[in-house]
Amino acid sequence: MSLIKNKINSQNLPKHVAIIMDGNGRWAKTRGEERTFGHKNAINAVRNAINACNEIDIPYLTLYTFSSENWSRPADEVSTLMNLLVETLLLEAEEIFSKGLRMHVIGNLEKLPSLVREQLERVVELTKENTKGNLVLAISYGSQNEILDAVKNISSDVKEGKVDIENIDEKLFENYLYTKDFPPVDLLIRTSGEIRISNFLLWQIAYAELQFLNVLWPDFTKDIFFQCIVDYQNKERRYGLTGDQINAQ
C-alpha cells in the first residue's frame, strides 16, 4: 500500500483531473535516443495515471494525447504517434473495459487517419455502458478551435431562432463545448517543468488548481499522481470568494 495514497482524503477528491503529458522527447534525448523512443516509453505513465484514478475513484481523467498544433511536427514523428495510438488502443481496450471505464474522445477527429478513427470508435462503443469512471482522450484537440466552434454553432442557432441571444450565459455556452457532458476541471497537471497551458481546456480550467511538475512524462508514477492529489487537498479553493466566506458555507 502506498504511504502517499494513505494520506488522501477520500471525501475531498477532484471530480475531474486533466493532464498535459509533456517531456517524452527530452526523456529520450537524455538517453541518446530519437524523440519517438520517448513516446513509445510513455505508455506505462499513461497506465499509471489511469490506474491511480481508478484506485481512488476519481470519475473523470482527461489526457492531452495529441494537440491540433502537433500536426506541424516532423512527419515521421506524427506517423509514429498515430501508429502508437492504434497499437495502444488494440492492447489496452480490454483493460480499459475490464476496469469499468468509459472512454470518450474530444477534438477535430476528421483530421485523423481512418484507422485511428476506427480504433477510437471501437473502444468508445465497447465501453459505452461502463460507469466506473471516464477516460477522455483529447486528440487533434485545440481549445481555441473548440471555443470558435462553439461560437459558430451558437451564432447559427441564434440565426435560426433556436437560441435567444439574451439567454446566452456560461451554462448555455458550455453546452456547445466538446466537454458538455463532463464537469469542469478541478486539477490540471503538467509534467516536464514547463509552465504553460498550451491551448488545453482553456474554458474548462477557469477555476482549476494548476500543478507543474519537474518530472518528464515517461517517469510519471502512481505515487506522483497521489502526491498531486494530496497537494490539491491542501489548497483552499475559493472561486473568487474570501476564505471566511468559504468557511461560512
Side-chain angles (χ1 to χ4, degrees), residues 108-126:
N108 182 2
L109 306 186
E110 295 303 314
K111 295 189 69 175
L112 294 172
S114 58
L115 182 58
V116 177
R117 288 202 309 272
E118 288 169 8
Q119 288 301 325
L120 288 169
E121 290 167 0
R122 183 180 74 87
V123 182
V124 167
E125 179 65 22
L126 174 70

Side-chain angles (χ1 to χ4, degrees), residues 17-27 38-39 42 44-46 48-49 61-65 73 187-198 200 210-225 228:
V17 175
I19 304 180
I20 301 174
M21 306 179 291
D22 193 20
N24 294 343
R26 274 165 284 174
W27 185 89
H39 298 313
N44 279 337
V46 173
N48 288 336
L61 172 66
T62 298
L63 301 177
Y64 205 3
T65 307
R73 289 190 174 187
L187 171 61
L188 173 70
I189 300 167
R190 180 176 187 141
T191 57
S192 87
E194 300 291 349
I195 304 176
R196 55 176 178 265
I197 303 303
S198 296
F200 184 48
L210 310 180
Q211 295 187 21
F212 300 97
L213 310 181
N214 288 313
V215 175
L216 300 176
W217 178 246
D219 293 326
F220 189 85
T221 65
K222 288 199 295 183
D223 272 352
I224 291 173
F225 184 89
C228 288

Side-chain angles (χ1 to χ4, degrees), residues 17 20 57 130 146 180 183 195 249:
V17 175
I20 301 174
D57 295 324
N130 287 355
E146 177 186 22
K180 60 184 175 65
I195 304 176
Q249 290 180 352

Side-chain angles (χ1 to χ4, degrees), residues 154 163-164 167-177:
I154 291 173
V163 171
D164 188 329
N167 292 332
I168 298 175
D169 57 13
E170 290 91 341
K171 186 173 183 179
L172 184 143
F173 187 83
E174 287 170 355
N175 285 329
Y176 285 81
L177 296 173

